Amino acid sequence: MILVTGGAGYIGSHCVLKLLSDGIDVIVFDSLELGHRETIETLKRYGSLKFVQGNLKNIDDIRGVFMSNKNIESVIHFAGYSQVAESIKNPQKYYYNNVYGTLNLLNAMLEFGVKQIVFSSSAAVYGEPKYTPIDENHQLNPINPYGNSKLIVEKILSDYDKAYGLKSVSLRYFNACGADSNGIIGEMHNPETHLIPNILKSDKEGSLKLFGTDYDTKDGTCVRDYINIDDLINAHILALKYLQTNNKSDCFNLGTGEGNSVKEIIELCEKIMCKPVKYEIHPRRTGDPAVLTADNTKAKEILNWIQEKTLSQSIQSAYEWEKYKNSAE
Ligand code: UDP
């Protein structure tokens, strides 16, 4: 059985769906502060899924999960806050949840002898890039509390390996996007801050805000590396296999290696929606580097990860999901 923390959220729920589809028993631990109960209900239709509502900040909540489920073999840890701007305004929230919460999880794992974890890290651990595409040897110099919280956990994991033999794979996500290709689940943040869903729903909710047109990039807007959610999740399954086979800790970038500007993403969305997107130009958003693209060689060579989906397929799936959500409302 695999324990998935944050399994009711965007990335976590796609991972749970994949594990269940592969016939693996899953237990989800989620506070439902950002995750969705209806997502759990949907996922239950696809395999053997237990759900525990709890908060990692309460050590007894997570200890209880291990106490009652002695067959947990490994953990995939998605639970955490992920908004850069919010982390700058409220660092306490980020350190307390992302770091202290993770410490509780790790301590419970050690107490119950569970020694393998896949951790959702982020490209934010690199900070302002010195060069792109960024490889795993790039200097680690986060520029906001969110990135700091991810790097601190990576360091804790490294120390826990040396001291206690706890093995971890940290996956440094670039920009996850899209929805599951069968339309079962998708992205549902409230409030939504991500570019692609904001473009897709801009018609309904007024103009899109475009943050910054004065960056040193091909068209002045920020360049990001958008990786399809199903492709991203496949890397988690490979990471679990890596831990089982090699019993060794490591970290990997997860991105496509391609960069697309905000304006290019808007154009792609327009093509898929067959209509123009209205946008207003706003000043730069705090903490946004001009370009973030991944060198994914390590994930390809060591995990045997491959990119299967194109950016158009990701946007198409996100669009289908947006239409489905609107029709269900
Ligand atoms: N962005 C934007 N308008 C939005 C949301 C995002 O212009 O409504 C820009 C943002 O400034 C960044 C890029 O789109 O340059 C990707 O942002 P997102 O929040 O999707 O991901 P992040 O890179 O912050 O993880």
Side-chain angles (χ1 to χ4, degrees), residues 83-84 174-175 192-196 198-199 208-212 215 221-224 226 262 285 288-289 292:
Q83 301 305 327
V84 167
F174 283 66
N175 289 55
E192 186 53 75
T193 60
H194 294 112
L195 179 64
I196 294 173
N198 275 350
I199 298 173
L208 171 79
K209 291 179 179 166
L210 196 167
F211 299 120
Y215 287 97
T221 65
C222 282
V223 170
R224 293 287 178 274
Y226 295 88
V262 175
R285 207 172 58 173
D288 273 347
L292 282 176

